Amino acid sequence: MKVAIVGGKLQGVEAAYLAKKAGWEVFVVDKKPEVLAAAIGDHFCVMDVTHRADWLLFLKNIDLVIPALENKEALTCLVRSAKYAKVPLLFDKNAYSISSSKIISNEIFRRLSIPAPVPWPRCGFPIIIKPSGASGSVGVIKVENAQALQRLQVKRSIADTVIEEYLSGPSYSLEVIGYQGVYKTLQITEIQLDAQYDCKRVLGTAVLTKRQQASFEQIALSLADFLHLNGIMDVEAILHAGQLKVLEIDARIPSQTPTAVYHATGINMLELLGKAFVQGTPWEDFSIKAKRGVIYEHIHVQGDTLEVLGEHILPDAGGPLRLCTDFFGADEALTTYSPDKTEWVATLIVTGATMRAAWNKRERIMGAIKQACRLQHYSERYPAVEVEAGAAEAGGGQ
């Protein structure tokens, strides 16, 4: 099957990686050269999909289009051109338009009685301010008190933002896929953040009680059913005071977690959806079970320091990522590394028979990188708190 992945940034890397694992012939398309995903697929095409004539000609040899971008003009063009060319488009524009607004999403949480952070001013400080239309950690600000909020309001507008209580606790992610009224939740993963609230590490198996898992899965299924989801949606939640509260939803190809799910369970959610959209029929029911421990994380090497940071380091990596196997002992890595570089980034994929085995393997890998690259320092930060290397490593080995 020939698949066009439109967008070569973080989502494009994820989609191209999983599409290759599915055994498809992968065309990565982006209007800019040297994007992150340029070397992940079989072919890279520099093309602007809003140039309709060129794009329609290209579509004649494509079996499935997978949007991996959030540009509204490009998405609108993809929807129209796919309909005209009668090529399946793995995208739900209605669900996406709802989930791309945190204000609208929060209203849905309220209507469905889904636990979520208390909105300000009904909550106390500290609070979190998030742009309604941004995804991930973009523009997220923690405000400690009323004085800090007043100073912030003087400096910038907080219109079209979501302001809600700040919650502490571990974060989790769950993907749900839908096609023709059939919905399925995948594996729950744990998300670990850096100081900028950006995901730096995904653990392929989340430590939750059976009741918490069932609650999270039911929340995801209720949201998918309410939205009549035809595609994929990521649901993010935080465990605060023993209760899971939903932070946001994103009805688009996520980055990071689908690959962690693939290595933990052997299930390729993109392959399942792609086949459904092309064949016009939902998947047969299947069970989800973690078979291996998985750690998926991003590192930045510069000078004599190795630092674990969120995925925001990748777009500034200075060129396309390459997929490498047995990278300093890691199963796989997406990286800009070469022996002559003093600065490079990598996304490491480390697996083991258990999470503890994966973490022990991960520590050996970090040691091998430090030794080979003659690095003296290791750095890792959590939101608002700097953690000593030993404490950070111990905390991740759950």
Side-chain angles (χ1 to χ4, degrees):
M1 187 162 72
K2 295 183 179 180
V3 176
I5 294 168
V6 183
K9 295 182 181 179
L10 295 170
Q11 291 173 251
V13 170
E14 191 80 16
Y17 177 88
L18 291 174
K20 284 296 296 176
K21 294 296 185 183
W24 300 336
E25 185 176 357
V26 179
F27 295 78
V28 176
V29 179
D30 200 288
K31 65 180 181 181
K32 295 182 179 179
E34 297 296 307
V35 291
L36 284 177
I40 306 299
D42 300 290
H43 316 278
F44 177 60
C45 308
V46 179
M47 181 182 300
D48 187 340
V49 297
T50 64
H51 296 169
R52 193 165 182 267
D54 294 340
W55 178 238
L56 287 174
L57 183 63
F58 180 84
L59 282 181
K60 289 184 177 181
N61 297 313
I62 297 298
D63 300 305
L64 175 68
V65 177
I66 303 175
L69 75 173
E70 297 184 69
N71 180 283
K72 292 183 179 180
E73 182 185 4
L75 287 170
T76 299
C77 290
L78 289 177
V79 170
R80 291 174 178 171
S81 60
K83 183 177 181 180
Y84 180 84
K86 298 181 180 179
V87 177
L89 180 72
L90 205 165
F91 179 66
D92 187 329
K93 66 175 183 178
N94 294 323
Y96 176 77
S97 66
I98 291 171
S99 71
S100 59
S101 168
K102 291 182 175 66
I103 293 174
I104 298 176
S105 297
N106 283 356
E107 175 60 22
I108 291 174
F109 302 159
R110 188 191 65 78
R111 289 175 61 182
L112 297 180
S113 299
I114 291 173
V118 176
W120 185 84
R122 291 200 289 115
C123 65
F125 289 93
I127 58 174
I128 286 285
I129 300 178
K130 301 183 289 188
S132 176
S135 61
S137 63
V138 177
V140 175
I141 301 172
K142 180 183 178 184
V143 179
E144 297 287 351
N145 51 52
Q147 292 78 14
L149 179 59
Q150 290 175 348
R151 290 194 298 270
L152 180 65
Q153 289 173 314
V154 170
K155 293 180 180 179
R156 54 179 282 186
S157 170
I158 57 173
D160 198 32
T161 61
V162 169
I163 307 176
E164 58 194 21
E165 65 177 332
Y166 169 80
L167 299 176
S168 60
S171 297
Y172 300 96
S173 177
L174 176 61
E175 280 77 36
V176 55
I177 55 177
Y179 188 73
Q180 293 183 354
V182 177
Y183 309 111
K184 183 71 175 181
T185 56
L186 281 300
Q187 172 82 352
I188 301 172
T189 54
E190 181 176 342
I191 306 300
Q192 296 187 352
L193 308 177
D194 68 8
Q196 283 72 49
Y197 301 95
D198 193 19
C199 177
K200 66 182 178 185
R201 181 184 297 123
V202 179
L203 303 182
T205 302
V207 181
L208 291 170
T209 67
K210 289 184 178 180
R211 183 176 181 178
Q212 289 166 341
Q213 292 179 37
S215 173
F216 199 2
E217 290 167 358
Q218 186 55 49
I219 286 170
L221 289 172
S222 66
L223 285 165
D225 183 60
F226 180 85
L227 297 173
H228 305 292
L229 180 69
N230 271 295
I232 187 168
M233 181 172 65
D234 177 65
V235 184
E236 295 184 19
I238 189 167
L239 183 63
H240 179 77
Q243 183 182 32
L244 282 168
K245 293 192 175 184
V246 175
L247 299 179
E248 63 179 65
I249 55 175
D250 286 303
R252 57 171 176 78
I253 300 292
S255 60
Q256 309 179 86
T257 48
T259 294
V261 170
Y262 169 74
H263 284 278
T265 66
I267 293 171
N268 187 333
M269 60 184 78
L270 190 67
E271 181 179 10
L272 287 170
L273 269 176
K275 287 181 177 179
F277 272 71
V278 171
Q279 297 171 2
T281 182
W283 49 87
E284 294 183 3
D285 194 24
F286 57 93
S287 59
I288 306 292
K289 184 179 180 180
K291 300 176 181 178
R292 297 184 64 77
V294 177
I295 300 169
Y296 178 105
E297 69 181 324
H298 313 292
I299 64 170
H300 178 215
V301 170
Q302 183 176 20
D304 65 351
T305 300
L306 185 160
E307 187 169 12
V308 181
L309 288 167
E311 66 174 352
H312 66 270
I313 62 173
L314 301 179
D316 299 325
L321 298 173
R322 294 176 296 104
L323 178 61
C324 302
T325 57
D326 193 21
F327 183 77
F328 293 99
D331 298 62
E332 291 183 326
L334 295 159
T335 184
T336 60
Y337 168 82
S338 65
D340 59 315
K341 286 186 175 182
T342 58
E343 182 178 6
W344 51 273
V345 298
T347 297
L348 306 177
I349 302 170
V350 181
T351 72
T354 63
M355 280 303 304
R356 173 55 65 183
W359 192 263
N360 290 340
K361 181 177 173 181
R362 180 258 187 201
E363 289 193 334
R364 294 194 295 271
I365 292 163
M366 294 298 180
I369 293 172
K370 289 179 66 178
Q371 182 177 7
C373 300
R374 299 179 180 181
L375 307 176
Q376 300 298 316
H377 304 289
Y378 173 95
S379 177
E380 178 169 3
R381 294 171 184 252
Y382 285 80
V385 179
E386 183 170 0
V387 182
E388 294 291 335
E393 292 172 0
Q398 298 177 14

